[in-house]
Amino acid sequence: SVKRNWSINDFEVGRPLGKGKFGRVYIARETKTKYIVALKVIFKEQIEKYKLLHQLKREMTIQTSLHHPHVLRLYGWFHDAERIFLILEYAHGGELYGELQRSGHFSEQKAATYIASLTHALAYCHEKHVIHRDIKPENLLLDHEGRLKIADFGWSVQSTNKRRTMCGTLDYLAPEMVENRPHDYAVDNWTLGVLCYEFLYGSPPFEADGQADTFRRIMKVDLAFPSTPQVSAEAKDLITLLLVKDSAKRLSLEKILEHPWIVLNADPNLICPK
Ligand SMILES: Cc1cc(Nc2nc(/C=C/c3ccccc3)nc3cc(N4CCN(C)CC4)ccc23)n[nH]1
């Protein structure tokens, strides 16, 4: 039911789920249908202060247009005098990051299933000319069946053929982004390599004490595999094929799905039981 003029009176707002940069996210229930959603509240004064209305509009336009099982839905939005409200799909399983912290690291089956889900989602986004650019565990949610959902398109862009430069977060930045050089879809392939490593070892590959050290490690592709936990050679092979400095030489999304580690370990339905 794609109703046009939502208002806060259409919802019973529940507990806060988390606090983002520009506001909080609450669980909420649409009064008529009892449908559970997540309501992201953004303060206009914050958006104006940081001149981010243009980026917010882009996030909203992009996320509304994306319909994929591994991409969190943005059902609609409304605003009042001081706030903008995004009506988002509710993912019952919470943040993947929490699960990674609780378990330390994932099994190869779980890691491969999440990487396969992300690869399908990114292939869909790239088809729609969207580069996410900010795939990190904090932006990944799980639904009630353990299905991964990419959330927070705050940093994604509708890529025209014009190259892009902008800032991102630390550990997940590809070399071309670190150097603020123009970049393209392949940044998301690099990030898949970073995430695959983090899912299997519990921390990202180029982690370092200071920013400068992290950048240096990224630029050198200073990749080392710890001896524990035990990780298969196939997994290390995939990570090595993705963490390649020359963006043109990174394994393509299609080739990731054909890689032996994914074929052998990912759940065919891309669902991770608890
Ligand atoms: C947009 C959205 C969120 C969402 N679901 C959830 N978000 C967040 C944390 C959200 C958050 C938001 C902003 C900044 C930081 C965190 N935490 C959640 C925690 C949840 N639980 C229930 C499951 N438990 C295992 C962990 C705690 C369930 C859903 C959650 N669905 N759709």
Side-chain angles (χ1 to χ4, degrees):
S1 70
V2 192
K3 174 175 169 187
R4 286 277 162 260
N5 52 349
W6 295 102
S7 89
I8 192 62
N9 305 321
D10 293 313
F11 299 93
E12 291 149 69
V13 182
R15 76 175 178 92
L17 290 165
K19 190 175 173 347
K21 322 181 257 295
F22 302 105
R24 287 171 184 266
V25 179
Y26 297 85
I27 188 166
R29 186 168 62 181
E30 202 276 319
T31 34
K32 280 184 208 49
T33 59
K34 302 276 176 265
Y35 197 76
I36 301 288
V37 294
L39 215 47
K40 186 171 178 180
V41 183
I42 299 163
F43 286 94
K44 288 183 176 176
E45 145 215 0
Q46 289 287 321
I47 290 294
E48 279 142 20
K49 182 173 159 195
Y50 294 99
K51 307 217 178 339
L52 287 170
L53 185 59
H54 157 72
Q55 178 180 316
L56 177 64
K57 281 182 182 166
R58 190 173 59 205
E59 172 189 346
M60 292 156 70
T61 311
I62 287 175
Q63 203 160 351
T64 314
S65 72
L66 297 178
H67 295 201
H68 189 274
H70 296 295
V71 176
L72 200 77
R73 285 295 312 283
L74 171 58
Y75 299 123
W77 63 78
F78 55 93
H79 64 100
D80 63 15
E82 59 275 338
R83 294 167 297 183
I84 299 165
F85 298 85
L86 305 187
I87 309 165
L88 289 158
E89 175 183 355
Y90 178 66
H92 296 70
E95 295 173 283
L96 184 141
Y97 195 60
E99 194 185 332
L100 182 58
Q101 281 184 313
R102 274 193 298 277
S103 61
H105 62 86
F106 293 146
S107 69
E108 303 219 17
Q109 290 69 29
K110 185 170 270 204
T113 304
Y114 287 152
I115 293 297
S117 311
L118 278 165
T119 304
H120 281 288
L122 287 174
Y124 170 80
C125 291
H126 291 184
E127 249 164 61
K128 312 266 282 191
H129 310 299
V130 172
I131 313 172
H132 189 284
R133 299 196 304 185
D134 193 13
I135 311 276
K136 57 183 192 289
E138 294 85 334
N139 287 344
L140 303 175
L141 294 167
L142 295 166
D143 74 0
H144 58 293
E145 288 177 305
R147 190 182 281 113
L148 176 143
K149 302 267 179 180
I150 301 180
D152 193 355
F153 281 76
W155 293 105
S156 55
V157 283
Q158 196 82 28
S159 121
T160 53
N161 42 29
K162 190 163 83 285
R163 300 289 199 139
R164 301 219 160 264
T165 61
M166 57 85 62
C167 65
T169 48
L170 276 190
D171 286 298
Y172 306 87
L173 280 185
E176 59 272 26
M177 284 179 86
V178 165
E179 287 188 322
N180 227 336
R181 277 190 288 110
H183 56 274
D184 60 11
Y185 298 93
V187 297
D188 288 337
N189 300 51
W190 170 277
T191 307
L192 280 174
V194 173
L195 274 173
C196 190
Y197 183 104
E198 184 165 9
F199 289 165
L200 292 167
Y201 291 102
S203 47
F206 308 114
E207 199 168 50
D209 296 344
Q211 247 184 7
D213 300 341
T214 304
F215 283 176
R216 202 170 298 124
R217 293 199 62 197
I218 292 170
M219 295 315 291
K220 268 176 55 191
V221 191
D222 172 19
L223 178 62
F225 295 111
S227 44
T228 57
Q230 171 53 38
V231 171
S232 67
E234 290 78 15
K236 294 177 191 168
D237 179 67
L238 176 57
I239 291 168
T240 311
L241 290 172
L242 288 169
L243 297 182
V244 172
K245 186 155 182 182
D246 179 348
S247 60
K249 294 197 171 64
R250 286 172 204 154
L251 203 61
S252 70
L253 296 178
E254 298 75 17
K255 287 271 174 284
I256 294 171
L257 293 172
E258 293 160 10
H259 189 279
W261 183 67
I262 294 288
V263 172
L264 281 171
N265 290 288
D267 174 85
N269 304 317
L270 299 177
I271 288 178
C272 274
K274 279 280 171 253

